[in-house]
Each structure stands twice: as C-alpha cells, then as structure tokens.
Amino acid sequence: MIKARVTVTLKNGVLDPQGKAIEGALGALGFDGIGQVRQGKVFDLQIESADKAKAEEDLKAMCEKLLANTVIENYSISFA
Amino acid sequence: MIKARVTVTLKNGVLDPQGKAIEGALGALGFDGIGQVRQGKVFDLQIESADKAKAEEDLKAMCEKLLANTVIENYSISFA
C-alpha cells in the first residue's frame, strides 16, 4: 500500500479571501508580524498498489480531473 | 522573512465525510484501488522575523488558538 499526500494551493495572484480573513483574525488575537496567509487543501490517499510510478501517474490524473482546479490552483504530490 | 507551512489533518478515528465523498467520486471516475481519502487544510504563512525559534513558538500558539481544533485535529509545522 502506498500512502500519498496531495497538496493543492492557490496560484500566485489569485485572491484568497479566506487567507485574508485568517490574517486579520491572527492580528486581532495579538500575533503581529504576519505578512501573508494563504490557505490550501491537503488530501491523504491510500493506494492499494506497490507500483509507485503508476500511482504517481494516477495521482496526477486525479488532480487534473477532480482534486485541483488547475486554472487557479497548483498541486504537488509527495509520498510518505 | 520566514515562510512556514502549517498542515492541519483530522485525527484518526474522526469521521471525514468530505474525504469519503472524494473517495466515491474518484471511484466513479474510474480510479480503482483507492483505499482511503482524508482531507485536511494547509496554511502558508509569511512571518516578518528572522528568529525561527520564536516563529515556531508563535505558530504553535496560532494553531492552538485559531488554525486547528485540537480536539479533533492534529497540526504540523514546517519551514520552507
């Protein structure tokens, strides 16, 4: 079994109101010196296979089709 | 400036309906052999400081107070 982690983040230049809200909330809680906050998503997947190359190919297809909106988001794949 | 990434994931045993839905959707798209999918959050923060130890301490406090619900979520902090 392969354990993979897919991280999906907004591309540079794409507005992130959720991140802005967190930035404001952290400031209100007294944390200063916070420059920028951007929020993304992470998916932990278990794949019933031993073929890492095939799994990586599949994961890329999953990102393109479902997990990420590649117009505004980047994704990266890592293995545990 | 320090760039940090905070990853927040659900603890084991906590139900993840969103992950289950993604699991089902991936199956419906023809990806088989998917064991389990769990979704989490990732925060990319820029901190205006050069003191990594202080930054890590601050980040832990941010996670405890705002970024993670430590009853049901784990967090991990990494630096770019």
Side-chain angles (χ1 to χ4, degrees):
Chain A
M1 196 184 63
I2 296 170
K3 286 187 182 190
R5 168 164 284 184
V6 173
T7 308
V8 176
T9 51
L10 283 171
K11 287 186 179 174
N12 282 335
V14 178
L15 288 178
D16 181 6
Q18 208 172 359
K20 276 277 166 219
I22 295 165
E23 212 176 297
L26 287 174
L29 283 172
F31 295 104
D32 40 10
I34 308 292
Q36 196 192 28
V37 181
R38 308 232 346 135
Q39 186 172 358
K41 284 172 284 188
V42 64
F43 304 95
D44 288 317
L45 296 99
Q46 291 179 2
I47 298 171
E48 311 288 354
S49 156
D51 183 348
K52 221 166 195 170
K54 169 79 167 57
E56 186 158 7
E57 205 178 285
D58 279 355
L59 284 164
K60 273 184 192 164
M62 288 177 210
C63 288
E64 296 285 339
K65 283 191 185 169
L66 183 75
L67 300 179
N69 175 354
T70 53
V71 177
I72 55 165
E73 290 171 331
N74 293 320
Y75 60 85
S76 68
I77 296 166
S78 62
F79 293 98
Chain B
M1 194 185 62
I2 296 170
K3 287 187 181 190
R5 169 164 284 184
V6 173
T7 309
V8 175
T9 51
L10 283 171
K11 288 186 179 174
N12 282 333
V14 178
L15 289 178
D16 180 6
Q18 208 171 359
K20 276 276 165 219
I22 294 165
E23 214 176 295
L26 287 173
L29 283 172
F31 296 104
D32 40 10
I34 307 294
Q36 196 193 29
V37 182
R38 314 248 318 149
Q39 186 173 359
K41 284 173 284 190
V42 63
F43 304 97
D44 288 317
L45 296 100
Q46 291 179 3
I47 298 171
E48 313 286 354
S49 155
D51 183 347
K52 220 166 197 173
K54 170 78 168 57
E56 186 159 8
E57 204 178 286
D58 279 355
L59 283 165
K60 273 185 193 166
M62 289 177 209
C63 287
E64 297 285 339
K65 283 192 186 169
L66 183 75
L67 300 180
N69 176 353
T70 53
V71 176
I72 56 166
E73 290 170 331
N74 292 320
Y75 61 84
S76 69
I77 296 165
S78 63
F79 294 98

